[in-house]
Amino acid sequence: MMDIIQKLEWRYAVKKFDPAKKLTAAQLDRLTTATRLSASSYGLQPYKVLIVENPAIRERLRAASWNQPQITDASQLVVFARVSDLNESHVDDYTNNIAATRNINPEDLAGFAGVMKGTVNRLDAAGAAAWTSKQAYLALGTLLTAAAAEGIDACPIEGFDAAQYDEILGLKDKGLATVVIAAIGFRAEEDTMQYAKKVRKPIAEFVEVI
């Protein structure tokens, strides 16, 4: 079995997926579970993960993604959408979840809730958009790593019209806004990029110990 370094060497941003190969329900569940466990500031998770399988919707999304074939050929398309109306109610929902999960009194979380609300209230619209987007990207990184660990291919994609995605998926009415997407599935044999050596900065240039 490959170790994590070998698996990360194996992964790449797939350019051509095999449309005949689909994730099993168990594989998809493992990826979504891993993504749910991703790091997030305070643990707040101010974003939602959408798994798009509907072929007709994906055709429309492909048109909003400069006709990139991964959008329709992959097993699933994963859309990371940030909360567009971040406010104190999201903190309240989270602290209630903590209290229920850990069986503690919500009043004992008042101090923690106050810190989070202070952060939320200090952010203007642009700051909130940037902060919530960063949280979504943390989850994207977890998805890509988990996929590699499971031998599942993925391709993170930023080349798309976010406004069109929001319209097609009806996100505005849900208080969400598209941040980034990823196609998941299995590489096609004819995707020649799988045979190319991975190119990254040398470790001595990439890392500096201070």
Side-chain angles (χ1 to χ4, degrees):
M1 181 178 292
M2 292 189 292
D3 69 12
I4 189 63
I5 299 301
Q6 290 175 308
K7 289 178 178 180
L8 291 174
E9 288 279 4
W10 169 84
R11 72 148 301 277
Y12 70 104
V14 172
K15 301 300 182 286
K16 184 173 179 55
F17 285 90
D18 185 339
K21 294 182 179 179
K22 305 295 184 183
L23 271 69
T24 65
Q27 287 173 320
L28 182 60
D29 181 67
R30 283 182 64 80
L31 289 190
T32 54
T33 298
T35 305
R36 184 181 69 88
L37 295 172
S38 177
S40 177
S41 294
Y42 301 121
L44 191 58
Q45 296 177 295
Y47 58 88
K48 192 176 185 70
V49 177
L50 308 174
I51 307 297
V52 186
E53 296 182 334
N54 184 292
I57 293 176
R58 288 172 67 176
E59 285 290 348
R60 295 177 65 193
L61 294 176
R62 177 169 173 167
S65 309
W66 294 280
N67 200 37
Q68 294 180 80
Q70 299 99 314
I71 306 300
T72 52
D73 291 350
S75 180
Q76 280 87 13
L77 181 67
V78 184
V79 177
F80 293 85
R82 65 177 177 84
V83 168
S84 59
D85 60 343
L86 185 66
N87 57 63
E88 291 189 1
S89 69
H90 297 101
V91 175
D92 291 334
D93 289 343
Y94 177 47
T95 52
N96 287 335
N97 189 11
I98 295 174
T101 301
R102 297 177 179 171
N103 193 29
I104 58 179
N105 191 326
E107 294 181 359
D108 293 337
L109 297 168
F112 182 43
V115 171
M116 289 189 286
K117 289 179 179 180
T119 297
V120 168
N121 291 329
R122 281 194 299 271
L123 295 171
D124 59 14
W131 187 70
T132 52
S133 294
K134 289 177 181 178
Q135 308 310 307
Y137 268 90
L138 287 174
L140 170 66
T142 300
L143 171 67
L144 297 178
T145 302
E150 295 291 313
I152 297 168
D153 288 302
C155 180
I157 299 171
E158 292 184 306
F160 61 92
D161 187 318
Q164 288 190 48
Y165 265 64
D166 292 350
E167 181 179 352
I168 293 168
L169 297 173
L171 297 187
K172 185 176 181 180
D173 292 339
K174 298 177 181 179
L176 299 170
T178 306
V179 174
V180 67
I181 64 177
I184 55 175
F186 299 96
R187 64 190 68 178
E189 289 187 10
E190 58 267 33
D191 187 350
T192 58
M193 286 303 298
Q194 65 187 290
Y195 307 112
K197 288 186 177 181
K198 188 180 290 291
V199 179
R200 294 292 188 270
K201 291 180 179 180
I203 194 71
E205 179 182 343
F206 182 70
V207 176
E208 179 180 358
V209 179
I210 300 174

